[in-house]
Amino acid sequence: MKIIAASYLYNPGYPAIKGGAVAVCDGRIVAVGTLDEIRADYSCPIEEHAGLVLMPGMVNAHTHLELTHFPSWKIRKGLDYNPRQYVDWIVQVIKICRGLSHEELLHSLDEGARISAAAGTTAVGDILSNLTLLPEYRKLPVSGRIYLEAIGQDPLRCEGRKAEIASAIKGFSGDMLLPGVSPHAPHTVSEKFMGELVAMAGEFRLPAMIHLAESVEEISFWFDSSGRIAEEIYTMAGWEAFLPAPRRLTPVAYLDSIGVLNQMTTCVHAVHVTPVDVGILRDRGVSLVICPRSNDRLVVGTPPLMLFRASRIPLAIGTDSLASSDSLSVWDEIRFLHEHNPRMFTPEELLLMATIGGAKALHLDDRTGTLEIGKRADIQLLSHSSSFTVDNMAGCLLESGKVEAVYLAGEAFAA
């Protein structure tokens, strides 16, 4: 047992506690308050961090840690260019990821988890496409949820992938990381397969995560089955025989029409959605993860943030992968969002989205996202500039906060 203390304890959304501390036993928080209060009740070692702010670790609600080494892979494979359109990027990702060895993916996954933790992230919503990596997750420092990804149109291959995912879910063990299911996107998963995957998630009482309406090409595809997705991605994947008939629907309306949107569904990106789409997402209880830097890098547009706010749709923050972003730091992500939309969210709202908002989107808010009794002791400690004021805690941390130390389940993380 130990006490972790700092000059301030700050749960976004609540007043800061001067001289705050948490008591930790077996990786869980057993007391929260001032150091004097906790020391009066518990006689145990104290790890004190004078001058720092103690707050919950960041929750990166959407990433692909297995793609962390993507920047070096594209150099090695002679594909070192920066696509400026969504389909060009997808083609690049496919070419680069073909033929990667298990060891290459393993090292990439390990590095992704390490640099995430060093940046103050203690929980992730990670998309895993290569299921052979699943045993390695038990060795990673971060907690969170692993969404087992499925892509496919061919019925036989879809059946095989569904069986692999079901087997992986049944064989899941451990408490650090929990499973989820990720039908990749409406345009990469057949209608039958999409329904089966979401139904399987329901049978196992697991959440699902779906990439949704990220690019304008997806809107064209769902309207009349045309455009670059049909012409290039379907051709490259050998899916020509599975090209759907024109649906005259938005991706959101399509998913709703097949009954896969519900309170256990989290959608990512949602850049090209209409007001009617947003109403559907709100009414179905869907959470959204926004990835501002990835959207900017791929020039896909900006999601209707004002509409999301007005509709009170739960929002979280994700970095996406290093295939489309410059870092895995959630701090970098919210600072970018604030810089480009300074009046959209207050600093405190951004910190809420990056902590408990992410935990809720991953259905892990009973475990992490705040410093509360019973939750994992996932903590980051931050220094700040000399202009720091307790009355503007969120604003000061957003402007100048620097991660100085991280605790994962109460144990100091060594980068």
Side-chain angles (χ1 to χ4, degrees):
M1 187 170 180
K2 69 176 70 171
I3 296 171
I4 303 169
S7 293
Y8 296 94
L9 183 149
Y10 176 55
N11 272 310
Y14 296 90
I17 299 174
K18 189 173 182 179
V22 295
V24 180
C25 183
D26 295 328
R28 301 276 172 181
I29 297 172
V30 295
V32 180
T34 66
L35 176 58
D36 290 342
E37 291 169 342
I38 294 177
R39 190 161 41 190
D41 294 331
Y42 296 94
S43 177
C44 57
I46 300 171
E47 297 179 10
E48 193 163 4
H49 301 270
L52 301 185
V53 176
L54 187 157
M55 67 173 281
M58 294 301 204
V59 180
N60 188 345
H62 178 72
T63 190
H64 303 252
L65 295 181
E66 64 187 301
L67 296 180
T68 299
H69 284 172
F70 188 90
S72 62
W73 292 337
K74 69 179 184 179
I75 294 173
R76 194 191 73 202
K77 292 199 171 191
L79 294 165
D80 187 18
Y81 59 92
N82 292 317
R84 297 296 288 177
Q85 291 189 22
Y86 173 79
V87 171
D88 295 328
W89 175 73
I90 290 291
V91 170
Q92 183 191 49
V93 171
I94 293 171
K95 288 180 177 178
I96 288 173
C97 290
R98 281 177 174 170
L100 292 172
S101 70
H102 178 82
E103 287 301 312
E104 287 174 306
L105 291 167
L106 173 58
H107 292 318
S108 184
L109 175 66
D110 287 343
E111 178 73 357
R114 186 191 67 78
I115 63 178
S116 294
T121 295
T122 55
V124 297
D126 194 43
I127 305 292
L128 175 63
S129 61
N130 191 318
L131 299 189
T132 66
L133 294 173
L134 195 53
E136 307 299 333
Y137 275 83
R138 299 191 188 99
K139 306 171 187 176
L140 300 184
V142 293
S143 66
R145 193 175 294 278
I146 310 169
Y147 289 88
L148 310 178
E149 186 175 57
I151 295 174
Q153 302 286 340
D154 181 274
L156 288 177
R157 293 189 176 184
C158 291
E159 276 300 313
R161 185 62 171 182
K162 187 172 68 171
E164 290 172 353
I165 290 175
S167 176
I169 292 171
K170 292 173 184 176
F172 238 82
S173 62
D175 185 57
M176 290 277 287
L177 289 147
L178 299 179
V181 178
S182 180
H184 174 259
H187 61 284
T188 60
V189 177
S190 72
E191 179 177 329
K192 181 174 183 292
F193 196 22
M194 177 70 74
E196 290 173 342
L197 289 166
V198 174
M200 180 168 66
E203 290 168 8
F204 285 106
R205 297 184 180 179
L206 298 177
M209 180 172 282
I210 304 171
H211 298 78
L212 178 67
E214 183 177 1
S215 69
V216 69
E217 289 91 344
E218 295 170 54
I219 306 306
S220 299
F221 181 79
W222 279 107
F223 186 74
D224 59 12
S225 298
S226 69
R228 297 187 67 195
I229 288 177
E231 295 163 4
E232 298 181 47
I233 294 179
Y234 268 59
T235 299
M236 191 174 192
W239 291 343
E240 297 94 332
F242 305 106
L243 192 67
R247 298 181 184 272
R248 305 291 194 265
L249 294 171
T250 66
V252 173
Y254 161 70
L255 289 180
D256 192 48
S257 73
I258 61 174
V260 302
L261 298 178
N262 56 57
Q263 292 181 351
M264 294 297 284
T265 308
T266 297
C267 292
V268 185
H269 297 298
V271 175
H272 296 278
V273 290
T274 68
V276 172
D277 290 336
V278 173
I280 291 171
L281 295 170
R282 177 201 61 215
D283 293 345
R284 302 295 177 263
V286 173
S287 296
L288 294 179
V289 182
I290 57 174
C291 306
R293 289 184 298 159
S294 177
N295 295 159
D296 181 72
R297 170 71 65 84
L298 300 180
V299 197
V300 296
T302 303
L305 301 174
M306 185 68 77
L307 193 54
F308 294 162
R309 277 199 67 171
S311 300
R312 299 183 181 275
I313 290 181
L315 296 177
I317 293 286
T319 64
D320 220 322
S321 74
L322 292 192
S324 62
S325 192
D326 291 330
S327 78
L328 296 177
S329 166
V330 178
W331 283 104
D332 289 347
E333 202 71 39
I334 61 174
R335 284 166 177 155
F336 178 93
L337 181 57
H338 186 63
E339 178 184 350
H340 288 78
N341 302 270
R343 293 184 177 86
M344 184 64 65
F345 301 105
T346 67
E348 189 159 61
E349 287 173 330
L350 290 170
L351 290 180
L352 284 165
M353 289 161 60
T355 53
I356 189 61
K360 288 179 177 178
L362 302 180
H363 299 272
L364 296 173
D365 48 305
D366 61 334
R367 295 166 169 255
T368 192
T370 57
L371 301 179
E372 293 182 72
I373 293 173
K375 292 191 176 183
R376 282 170 48 91
D378 291 338
I379 295 164
Q380 57 181 326
L381 288 130
L382 300 114
S383 59
H384 45 77
S385 69
S386 58
S387 60
F388 174 85
T389 65
V390 69
D391 293 333
N392 186 28
M393 178 77 71
C396 291
L397 293 178
L398 186 64
E399 179 181 355
S400 64
K402 180 183 176 183
V403 178
E404 300 291 351
V406 175
Y407 285 82
L408 299 158
E411 297 298 324
F413 169 72

